């Protein structure tokens, strides 16, 4: 679960663990087990567990705890031992004896397909079993492998620093897969960062910086002090340049990086020949240039400002008079800051051909023992990637040097640039241009490494990640777009469509996710059940989107968490029994607790919209732990006499309700009529009370986001003018003299609501129902739906979903048929196989002037069938009907 979830706001992995022979057994049942386990994993003594203090878990272990819980803590301890610092864990029974869900925290930017959490838990189980058997607990070899995997998978220092700085600013951050690519912000404020490259980095600037000879020429023409030299495509050209420049020279690949194959101090034709061959081994040209004297410095320019500078010291060891070079290198590599590649602050020292050659020049080899205090160089270039170290000198940069560095970054065209300088001292004025040995700019680097500034070997660490974020998002620049998240049992899709319709009318380009798919700017871009976090991320990562409206269903919440960190508005439409018995949700109370996450993840100062007519929603306002604290509660309702709304308004709260035939806003102790209910698009003149409730919730969200009341009224009036506005929800078609009402009602509450609409408009005696219900509902819920149908319709056709969702063929229609006839024996009921058979059968049952209520599984084949039969959409569903609504 990458996003906030029902366990914690951070990423977690949930693993189902079967205890097998340990079912029902506790740790205290096995004498000596606790002591053996703690001896193997002494860090367990620091685990708090439920006691809230170190030693808490050991107390549980000695007193007796189940083995899923034990494995959870050992997995967290193993994670700590490989440097993967996480703390949260939880173990929950699934309701099946011996079956537990073990929840363990994952690092924020761990790749979503990482197998580390699983591997750590598996290793923990192996260790627990070994301790149970009294065997030695050995896991160091496996841990070494996992430690290496973690080092490879985790974000590098540069990426991590930028991510941390963005989160500190409250900017959303998401790492893309295993890459160092970060998405910062949402929608139109989204920015991309790849290590120290950003979406504002000039491609031309990168290409210039990658070509060392082109960079040198460009800077030389601009009057920047650079070493004299040139490019050589052949050894003869290199020797000619060597003769013109005179020794010593530097030889390096024209397109080189990270200090690879850079040779300094080349002072003879033979040395030049060897350096040229190595530098061009990859097929590149070589650059031969005069070697400047002085110290090596790296200056970081971000957004036109010098934000850090470091003196770089080439890889070296210092002799002690007793240890050989190999031993000195091994000792240096014991520094925990050293690692392979760029994963840590420093890179491990290695001995390769370059190092051996340099050792020979110093009269040594790896077996030689340097004198006490003797500095043994392993590299001549000072790159951190070849084992160098750094000393922060940011506060010593002379103004003339800083000015030069800003100019160079601008000349090359880079928003983030690492400038390599060789100067007598960085705190002295620059020497005049043209003094070949007086210092100058050696190289300009795009995507420079930040780690030497984040964690210098000596001196002050610089928060250069914050500088990158500040360049992308200067103070006051937004990083987010408005987000409305919608959950509940019924009405989610219609509320999402309505909300998007209202925001679109305010001139916003809206990204919306529903059970139909993902729509951006009013166009469906992906057809799918798009109510989970992946679909939310599609919308939030789209830089053309101004606002997001996200239908958020139970399944995605349970299996992956949320696809965002915070929303501005959270809507909970209503809370009734549906999907019970699935994924550990056994009761309505479980469902309520899960869907409360939508309200909990509304930002402070945002709004939670609740249904005042729904008993379970009313209970949320007083939910334990004050989980909606610091959020505005907005109530919506169809009963203006509801005392909850009256009290809320009297205390200055905001509400939206139906009263005197009008949709009304109560705010700032004012009563503001918005729209006559008979004008509501798709509301059947106010008869569709459930759609009126949906409109009130959508109106609340739009008003929170600043849509004017007049614009809200205009857009509510025009909803469903286009048949694509709300397909399959209260959609009225006509075939000859028969009306066909298409709706997605698939649980008792929804069937009751649409049944009320049918009775108001046509009367119960004038209705036929063609019904399918999803097979993944519990039998008791299906029977309750069948009873609702039997009480409301005297003519029914039952058919089966094409996706039976685990049921046997014909199982669901048979169950519904049995319960329906038990409820209403006089009901005329036919059972057919498919919707293609159900629609003609229902039409055959209908009399002129009747309505067929068609409940469906998927809307596309239903609409295609009705079109083939000749049915036409009724263009204006504001049918004449007595106004609904009481007087306050």
């Amino acid at each position: 679960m990458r996003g906030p979830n029902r366990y914690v706001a951070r990423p977690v992995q949930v693993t189902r663990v079967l205890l097998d022979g340990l079912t029902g057994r506790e740790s205290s049942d096995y004498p000596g087990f606790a002591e053996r386990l703690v001896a193997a994993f002494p860090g367990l003594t620091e685990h708090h567990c439920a006691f809230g203090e170190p030693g808490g878990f050991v107390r549980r272990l000695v007193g007796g705890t189940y083995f899923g819980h034990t494995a959870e803590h050992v997995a967290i301890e193993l994670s700590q031992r490989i440097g993967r610092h996480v703390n949260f864990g939880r173990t929950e029974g699934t309701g099946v004896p011996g079956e537990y869900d073990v929840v363990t925290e994952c690092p924020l930017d761990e790749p979503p397909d990482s197998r580390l959490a699983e591997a750590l838990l598996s290793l923990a189980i192996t260790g627990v079993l070994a301790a149970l058997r009294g065997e030695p607990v050995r896991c160091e070899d496996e841990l070494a492998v996992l430690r290496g995997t973690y080092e490879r998978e985790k974000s590098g220092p540069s990426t991590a620093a930028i991510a941390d700085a963005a989160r500190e600013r409250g900017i959303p951050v998401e790492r893309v897969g295993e890459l160092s690519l970060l998405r910062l912000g949402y929608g139109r404020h989204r920015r991309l960062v790849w290590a120290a490259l950003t979406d504002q980095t000039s491609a031309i600037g990168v290409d210039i910086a990658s070509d060392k000879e082109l960079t040198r020429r460009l800077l030389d023409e601009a009057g920047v002090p650079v070493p004299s030299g040139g490019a050589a495509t052949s050894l003869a050209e290199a020797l000619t340049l060597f003769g013109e420049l005179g020794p010593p020279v530097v030889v390096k690949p024209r397109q080189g990086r990270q200090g690879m194959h850079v040779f300094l101090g080349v002072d003879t034709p033979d040395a030049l020949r060897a350096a040229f061959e190595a530098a061009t081994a990859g097929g590149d040209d070589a650059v031969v240039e005069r070697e400047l004297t002085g110290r090596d410095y790296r200056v970081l320019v971000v957004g036109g400002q010098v934000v850090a500078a470091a003196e770089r010291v080439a890889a070296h060891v210092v002799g002690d008079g007793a240890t050989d070079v190999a031993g000195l290198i091994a000792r240096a590599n014991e520094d925990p800051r050293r690692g392979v590649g760029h994963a840590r602050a420093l890179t491990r020292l290695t001995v390769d051909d370059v190092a051996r050659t340099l050792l020979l020049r110093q009269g040594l080899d790896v077996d030689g023992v340097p004198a006490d205090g003797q500095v043994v160089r392993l590299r001549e270039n000072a790159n951190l990637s070849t084992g160098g170290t750094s000393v922060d000198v940011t506060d010593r940069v002379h103004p003339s040097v800083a000015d030069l560095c800003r100019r160079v970054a601008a000349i090359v065209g880079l928003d983030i640039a690492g400038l390599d300088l060789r100067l007598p001292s960085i705190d002295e004025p620059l020497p005049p241009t043209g003094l070949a040995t007086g210092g100058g700019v050696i190289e300009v680097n795009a995507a420079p490494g930040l780690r030497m500034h984040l964690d210098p070997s000596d001196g002050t660490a610089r928060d250069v990640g914050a500088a990158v974020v500040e360049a992308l998002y200067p103070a006051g620049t937004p990083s987010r777009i408005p987000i409305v998240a919608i959950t509940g049992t019924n009405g989610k899709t219609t509320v999402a469509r309505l909300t998007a319709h209202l925001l679109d009318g305010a001139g916003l380009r809206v990204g919306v996710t529903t059970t139909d798919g993902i729509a951006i700017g009013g166009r469906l871009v992906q057809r799918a059940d798009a109510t989970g976090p992946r679909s939310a991320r599609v919308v939030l990562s789209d830089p053309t989107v101004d606002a997001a409206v996200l239908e958020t269903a139970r399944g995605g919440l349970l299996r992956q968490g949320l696809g965002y960190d915070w929303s501005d508005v959270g809507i909970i439409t209503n809370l009734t029994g549906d999907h019970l018995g699935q994924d550990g949700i056994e009761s309505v109370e479980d469902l309520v607790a899960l869907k409360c996450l939508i309200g909990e993840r509304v930002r402070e100062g945002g709004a939670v919209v609740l249904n005042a007519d729904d008993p379970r929603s009313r209970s949320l306002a007083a939910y334990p732990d004050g989980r909606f604290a610091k959020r505005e509660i907005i109530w919506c309702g169809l009963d203006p006499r509801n005392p909850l709304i009256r009290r809320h308004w009297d205390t200055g709260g905001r509400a939206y309700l139906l009263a005197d035939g009008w949709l009304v806003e109560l705010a700032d102790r004012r009563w503001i009529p918005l729209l006559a209910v008979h004008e509501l698009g798709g509301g059947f003149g106010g008869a569709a009370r459930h759609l009126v409730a949906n409109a009130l919730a959508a109106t609340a969200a739009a008003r929170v986001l600043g849509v004017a009341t007049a614009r809200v009224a205009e857009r509510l009036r025009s909803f469903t003018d286009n048949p694509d506005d709300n397909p399959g929800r209260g959609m009225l078609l006509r075939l000859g003299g028969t009306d066909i009402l298409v709706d997605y009602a698939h649980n008792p509450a929804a069937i009751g609501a649409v049944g009320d609409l049918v009775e108001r408009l046509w009367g119960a005696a004038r209705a036929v129902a063609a019904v399918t219900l999803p097979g993944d509902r519990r039998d008791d819920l299906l029977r309750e739906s069948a009873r609702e149908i039997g009480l409301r319709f005297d003519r029914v056709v039952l058919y089966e979903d094409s996706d039976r969702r685990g049921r046997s063929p014909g199982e669901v229609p048979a169950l519904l048929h049995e319960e329906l006839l038990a409820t209403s024996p006089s009901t005329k009921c036919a059972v057919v196989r498919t919707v293609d058979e159900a629609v003609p059968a229902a039409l055959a049952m209908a009399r002129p002037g009747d309505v067929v209520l068609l409940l469906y599984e998927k809307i596309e084949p239903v609409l295609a069938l009705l079109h083939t039969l000749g049915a036409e959409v009724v263009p204006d569903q504001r049918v004449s009907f007595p106004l609904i609504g009481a007087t306050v």
Side-chain angles (χ1 to χ4, degrees), residues 3 31 40 55 88 101 141 239 271 291-292 444 469 527 537 563 678 750 775 808 822 837 855 887:
F88 174 81
D101 283 343
D141 290 346
L239 289 169
E291 182 172 338
L292 302 182
V444 178
V469 173
R527 188 177 296 281
R537 292 187 189 102
H678 71 271
S808 300
E837 298 174 0
L855 306 185
T887 302

Side-chain angles (χ1 to χ4, degrees), residues 202-215:
S202 162
I204 292 177
V206 172
D207 283 349
I208 291 172
S210 298
D211 187 326
K212 301 186 185 306
E213 173 59 13
L214 177 58
T215 301

Side-chain angles (χ1 to χ4, degrees), residues 316-321 328 359 362-364 369-377:
H316 67 280
V317 292
V318 179
D320 60 7
L328 294 171
L359 286 172
Q362 300 170 84
L364 289 167
V369 178
D372 187 22
Q374 179 181 352
V375 176
V376 179
R377 293 174 294 138

Side-chain angles (χ1 to χ4, degrees), residues 102 165 174 336 345 515 578 616 619 627 756 781 830 854:
V102 176
E174 183 177 13
T515 52
D578 198 8
R616 291 188 178 90
S619 69
R627 54 182 64 185
D756 285 342
L781 296 176
L854 176 56

Side-chain angles (χ1 to χ4, degrees), residues 756-770:
D756 285 342
L757 170 62
V758 168
E759 187 169 344
R760 288 191 183 96
L761 287 181
W762 290 273
R766 304 300 301 274
V768 180

Side-chain angles (χ1 to χ4, degrees), residues 160-176:
I162 294 168
D164 290 345
R167 290 190 174 102
E168 185 69 23
R169 285 266 307 268
I171 297 170
V173 178
E174 183 177 13
R175 182 182 175 188
V176 179

Side-chain angles (χ1 to χ4, degrees), residues 566-570 599-608 628-634 654 704-705:
W566 299 102
S567 68
D568 298 275
V569 182
E600 294 167 16
R601 296 308 296 182
V602 170
R603 63 173 176 80
E604 290 189 8
V608 180
F628 296 163
K630 299 183 180 178
R631 284 88 173 164
E632 179 188 7
I633 302 295
I634 298 177
R654 185 160 29 166
V704 169
L705 298 183

Side-chain angles (χ1 to χ4, degrees), residues 491-499 551 691 694-695 698 719 726 729:
K492 300 184 296 294
T493 297
T494 298
V495 171
R497 291 169 174 170
L498 260 166
T499 304
E551 180 181 347
L691 189 117
N694 294 337
F719 188 59
N726 200 28
R729 268 56 173 188

